[in-house]
Amino acid sequence: MSYMRSAERQRHILDSAKKVFAERGFHAANVSHICAEAGIGRGTLYLYFRNKKSVFEAILRETLARVRALIDSQRPLELPPPETLRRRDVVAWSSRKLHAILQAVFEDERTLRILLREAGGLDVDIERVLGEIDDGLIRVIAEDLAAAQRAGIVRDIDARVQATLMVGGIEKLALAALRSDEPVDLRALAREVARFHATGSIADRVRDDADSDPGRDHGTDP
Amino acid sequence: MSYMRSAERQRHILDSAKKVFAERGFHAANVSHICAEAGIGRGTLYLYFRNKKSVFEAILRETLARVRALIDSQRPLELPPPETLRRRDVVAWSSRKLHAILQAVFEDERTLRILLREAGGLDVDIERVLGEIDDGLIRVIAEDLAAAQRAGIVRDIDARVQATLMVGGIEKLALAALRSDEPVDLRALAREVARFHATGSIADRVRDDADSDPGRDHGTDP
Amino acid sequence: MSYMRSAERQRHILDSAKKVFAERGFHAANVSHICAEAGIGRGTLYLYFRNKKSVFEAILRETLARVRALIDSQRPLELPPPETLRRRDVVAWSSRKLHAILQAVFEDERTLRILLREAGGLDVDIERVLGEIDDGLIRVIAEDLAAAQRAGIVRDIDARVQATLMVGGIEKLALAALRSDEPVDLRALAREVARFHATGSIADRVRDDADSDPGRDHGTDP
Amino acid sequence: MSYMRSAERQRHILDSAKKVFAERGFHAANVSHICAEAGIGRGTLYLYFRNKKSVFEAILRETLARVRALIDSQRPLELPPPETLRRRDVVAWSSRKLHAILQAVFEDERTLRILLREAGGLDVDIERVLGEIDDGLIRVIAEDLAAAQRAGIVRDIDARVQATLMVGGIEKLALAALRSDEPVDLRALAREVARFHATGSIADRVRDDADSDPGRDHGTDP
DNA sequence: CATGAATGAGGATTCATTCAT
DNA sequence: AATGAATGAATCCTCATTCAT
């Protein structure tokens, strides 16, 4: 491969590496695989990255950077009074918001695959970055939830826990899709999660807690 | 190490391996580490297992076996009519149920750690087992949800998706705990998840979808 | 190669390595060369030594150990009064003494070759060991010289400098021999050096410094 | 780096290389280090030298050239009759002569360091040059010694062996100085060696070999 | 002439697995 | 059955050298 400007080439290597890491995982991916994919000599990679690990880290850091950009760009939401909204509006809005966030973070399916499959067992530096990505993503969602709480749209629950549950749920759905080699439709996932989390699963026929009849006390384990 | 009958010894190796895998992850764990932990010679391991991978697989298969046992032992739930229940009863019941399941599957923290951190990047056989565990766990929960739906206690939503979200959420919470080296309290996690999923997050002040004012339709993306 | 007891095998590897290092020098000697010479697999070497460098260091340390043993075994010499000796007796005695020392240190020609050819450019740890060997060898000789001084057999000169000169001289002669692929005859070298250092090179016809005519002072540089 | 004529630049590279080689030794010195020191691009070095080895060789050959110049410029010494000299005159003269030679050969401390530390373990071509330098240096000194012998100032000993011993001694002293990071004072070294070699170390109280009393036989260890 | 991006041969080292004892 | 010494395939990385610009 002929000359290529430095930044361009680094980008190219990163993309090739992303592909290889997504397909094989960190350990099964050899430096040789990456270089072959990038169409470069094995030594060339080391002009742009300190070692294999740092290529991987660079990929993760790009994602982390996107997450941070998201955090930085976040403005306190301007929300209408709850009385003017219907539940389906909230779900739709929340779904769109979620989708935007997911799209920004999981840019492409390869990134998604890498993030979902390399949960750990790697180097400690790498685990930290993975943790920060998780953390940032959860925080972004939690902040929107908190804003919605202040606006009276969302119940007064622990926003961070709620956000963690949403992220975990989404990732699990995505992982299932990846496992069956279906393409992952982030928009659909976002919609699904938004709906579930908004509505709750208990049927209306169940009585409200405030209801008079105390009945027998639940909650003791069998 | 003194005399030990074959089955006993295999058990012992498995436990030692579980400890080592939980601490270091599959790749960083050497056969030497495992044998040292088990107090046996390196050759001995190969009398009981075909290779390193199959030790790991055996650990996962034990978990899978527990999941399957759970599936097999599952009886269609006998549930009271929804009108006799209050929401908090449902949450409490669901929380207990969930906890029982999680406890059965994630036996001990080591297993949990292994399952959460080795999401992939490993061998294809191993990934399949991981997938089956996930699948089974989700199915068990989904079936209970379906039963609750039939009993009119749970809304008519996609039980499998709901179960997936719950599992994903729980695991994400657990992972966060593991990352900060806190012990994982499965009961607390189960309670949290049960509550969130039961109730939903939209505040009561938001109008019902059935409400008269049609307004313009929000939220359906083109 | 079949089983061999640990100490024996380490010895065997060390000998093979000594041969290879002597022939090719540290850098040109590959681990593969050493293992091929020893008739062992490449991994086996690492059961006995941490790495290539430490094999080399072990060889040097053996020599250092011999030097130290020499130092420890050194007893203050019992020497006859100088008046009972003739110069040739002193030379003969000194030559034998020197030879014994050289033989103890430079055990075999391989060791000699290694020590003479790897003067430096290597790792800092290794250079230190080389320095200590040099130092010890010089010290042993210097101590004998000092004893001879106390006995009035040797002039009152700086014993350490004298010893350094002797060692340097011997090594240079040996190196010249090695370069022309002659076998090194340590006994002959010792004799030569002993003679030169004993007698001095100025002819008798040169006047003694004590002689009357003071003349102008030659030789002290400004 | 600004414009520089070919010869000048080659000179500049050589000087930079000398510095780097002296500091790090041949193997630890990278082409990159040299080029960085010289302030040139890595490719440029190859316009002036065939490869890394030939840079090193060029440095050695410069020294060899100086040695040869010394040989060529050597005129048979005009020496006064020994009876007109005192021993201290001889030492002083010999010391100055030696110093002049050493200075011419070991031009600067860097050269000295390179020559002393890279005794071997390198390429065969390089070893030959090193051998020739040694050889030439010894020959120059030997020839002066021979002249002094002819003039009756120096005893009738093997001049070449004597010269080798002197060179070896000097180099060992120099090496010790280098090891302790002291600057090497060639003049002092020359003086020391001249003195030792002139005088010899046996005390006057030891009887002359010519003495009548046959005494006991020599050569048996005490 | 000068550059430095690109290259890939070469070498050290690790570690799962085998097998003689 | 148990061992652990021996193995060598596998892989990362360095760095002298080339060559397109």
Side-chain angles (χ1 to χ4, degrees), chain A residues 117 127 171-172 196 218, chain B residues 89 117 127 162 171-172:
Chain A
R117 303 183 70 167
E127 302 229 341
E171 288 186 0
K172 203 68 170 185
F196 275 102
H218 320 274
Chain B
D89 301 330
R117 304 184 70 165
E127 302 231 341
Q162 168 95 343
E171 288 186 359
K172 203 68 170 186

Side-chain angles (χ1 to χ4, degrees), chain C residues 24-28 78 81-93 96-97 116-122 127 130-132 134-135 138 145 151-162 164-173 175-176 179 192-194 196-222, chain D residues 24-28 81-93 95-96 116-122 127 130-132 134-135 138 145 151-162 164-173 175-176 179 187 191-193 196-222:
Chain C
R24 320 176 81 118
F26 180 77
H27 280 103
E78 290 290 331
E83 288 76 10
T84 67
L85 296 169
R86 282 169 311 172
R87 303 176 74 85
R88 78 153 71 115
D89 302 331
V90 174
V91 169
W93 173 86
R96 277 200 310 275
K97 194 84 185 131
L116 294 193
R117 304 183 71 168
E118 308 284 354
L122 302 176
E127 302 230 343
L130 283 168
E132 287 179 35
D134 244 30
D135 219 64
I138 288 169
L145 282 172
I153 296 172
V154 159
R155 243 184 253 289
D156 193 30
I157 50 187
D158 185 326
R160 184 164 178 88
V161 169
Q162 169 95 340
T164 306
L165 289 173
M166 292 176 90
V167 169
I170 287 166
E171 288 187 0
K172 203 68 171 187
L173 283 174
L175 190 59
R179 271 187 181 136
E192 212 104 57
V193 172
F196 275 102
H197 274 263
T199 321
S201 52
I202 294 189
D204 292 335
R205 291 165 59 198
V206 175
R207 285 192 289 145
D208 229 36
D209 287 336
D211 273 9
S212 51
D213 179 2
R216 55 176 295 282
D217 200 305
H218 312 263
T220 34
D221 291 75
Chain D
R24 321 176 79 118
F26 180 77
H27 279 103
E83 289 77 9
T84 66
L85 296 168
R86 285 168 309 174
R87 303 176 75 86
R88 77 152 74 113
D89 301 332
V90 174
V91 169
W93 172 85
S95 150
R96 278 201 308 272
L116 293 193
R117 305 185 69 167
E118 308 283 353
L122 302 176
E127 303 230 341
L130 284 167
E132 287 178 37
D134 246 30
D135 219 64
I138 289 168
L145 282 172
I153 295 172
V154 159
R155 243 183 253 289
D156 192 28
I157 49 187
D158 185 327
R160 184 165 179 85
V161 169
Q162 168 95 343
T164 306
L165 289 173
M166 292 176 89
V167 170
I170 287 165
E171 289 186 0
K172 203 68 169 187
L173 284 174
L175 191 59
R179 271 189 182 134
R187 185 190 305 278
R191 206 181 302 136
E192 210 106 56
V193 172
F196 275 102
H197 274 263
T199 323
S201 51
I202 294 188
D204 292 333
R205 290 165 60 195
V206 175
R207 284 191 291 145
D208 229 37
D209 287 336
D211 274 9
S212 49
D213 181 2
R216 48 182 295 280
D217 205 300
H218 325 273
T220 39
D221 288 73

Side-chain angles (χ1 to χ4, degrees), chain D residues 10-218:
Chain D
Q10 178 151 15
R11 179 74 263 143
H12 177 65
I13 295 175
L14 233 31
D15 288 336
S16 309
K18 199 189 281 190
K19 176 152 187 259
V20 174
F21 283 134
E23 279 165 3
R24 321 176 79 118
F26 180 77
H27 279 103
N30 293 1
V31 172
S32 308
H33 296 143
I34 296 171
C35 294
E37 176 69 38
I40 60 171
R42 248 194 351 285
T44 308
L45 185 140
Y46 289 85
L47 295 176
Y48 294 89
F49 297 94
R50 214 167 47 267
N51 50 33
K52 179 185 171 186
K53 202 185 88 182
S54 87
V55 179
F56 193 69
E57 217 181 313
I59 292 173
L60 296 184
R61 283 198 181 283
E62 287 198 324
T63 301
L64 181 54
R66 286 198 302 277
V67 171
R68 286 192 172 142
L70 220 50
I71 293 176
D72 291 344
S73 72
Q74 223 174 7
R75 298 279 162 274
L77 291 173
E78 289 291 331
L79 292 162
E83 289 77 9
T84 66
L85 296 168
R86 285 168 309 174
R87 303 176 75 86
R88 77 152 74 113
D89 301 332
V90 174
V91 169
W93 172 85
S94 144
S95 150
R96 278 201 308 272
K97 193 82 184 131
L98 204 48
H99 178 225
I101 293 170
L102 294 176
Q103 216 174 15
V105 175
F106 300 123
E107 212 178 28
D108 51 27
E109 192 160 319
R110 279 169 191 161
T111 306
L112 183 61
R113 202 174 273 271
I114 288 172
L115 285 166
L116 293 193
R117 305 185 69 167
E118 308 283 353
L122 302 176
D123 176 274
V124 63
D125 293 325
I126 286 180
E127 303 230 341
R128 194 178 27 251
V129 181
L130 284 167
E132 287 178 37
I133 291 173
D134 246 30
D135 219 64
L137 175 53
I138 289 168
R139 181 192 303 193
V140 171
I141 295 174
E143 239 150 67
D144 280 350
L145 282 172
Q149 283 180 341
R150 283 191 302 273
I153 295 172
V154 159
R155 243 183 253 289
D156 192 28
I157 49 187
D158 185 327
R160 184 165 179 85
V161 169
Q162 168 95 343
T164 306
L165 289 173
M166 292 176 89
V167 170
I170 287 165
E171 289 186 0
K172 203 68 169 187
L173 284 174
L175 191 59
L178 286 179
R179 271 189 182 134
S180 49
D181 269 320
E182 297 164 25
V184 179
D185 181 351
L186 284 181
R187 185 190 305 278
L189 293 187
R191 206 181 302 136
E192 210 106 56
V193 172
R195 189 149 33 137
F196 275 102
H197 274 263
T199 323
S201 51
I202 294 188
D204 292 333
R205 290 165 60 195
V206 175
R207 284 191 291 145
D208 229 37
D209 287 336
D211 274 9
S212 49
D213 181 2
R216 48 182 295 280
D217 205 300
H218 325 273

Side-chain angles (χ1 to χ4, degrees), chain B residues 105-156:
Chain B
V105 175
F106 299 122
E107 212 179 29
D108 51 26
E109 191 159 318
R110 281 170 191 160
T111 305
L112 182 62
R113 202 174 273 271
I114 288 172
L115 285 166
L116 293 194
R117 304 184 70 165
E118 309 283 353
L122 302 176
D123 177 274
V124 64
D125 293 324
I126 286 181
E127 302 231 341
R128 192 175 32 250
V129 182
L130 284 167
E132 287 179 37
I133 291 173
D134 245 29
D135 218 64
L137 175 53
I138 288 168
R139 180 193 304 191
V140 171
I141 296 174
E143 240 150 65
D144 279 352
L145 281 172
Q149 283 180 342
R150 283 191 303 273
I153 296 172
V154 159
R155 242 184 252 289
D156 192 28

Side-chain angles (χ1 to χ4, degrees), chain B residues 99 102 109 112 170 173-174 177 182-192:
Chain B
H99 178 223
L102 293 176
E109 191 159 318
L112 182 62
I170 286 166
L173 283 175
E182 297 165 27
V184 179
D185 181 351
L186 283 182
R187 183 190 307 277
L189 293 187
R191 206 180 305 134
E192 210 106 55

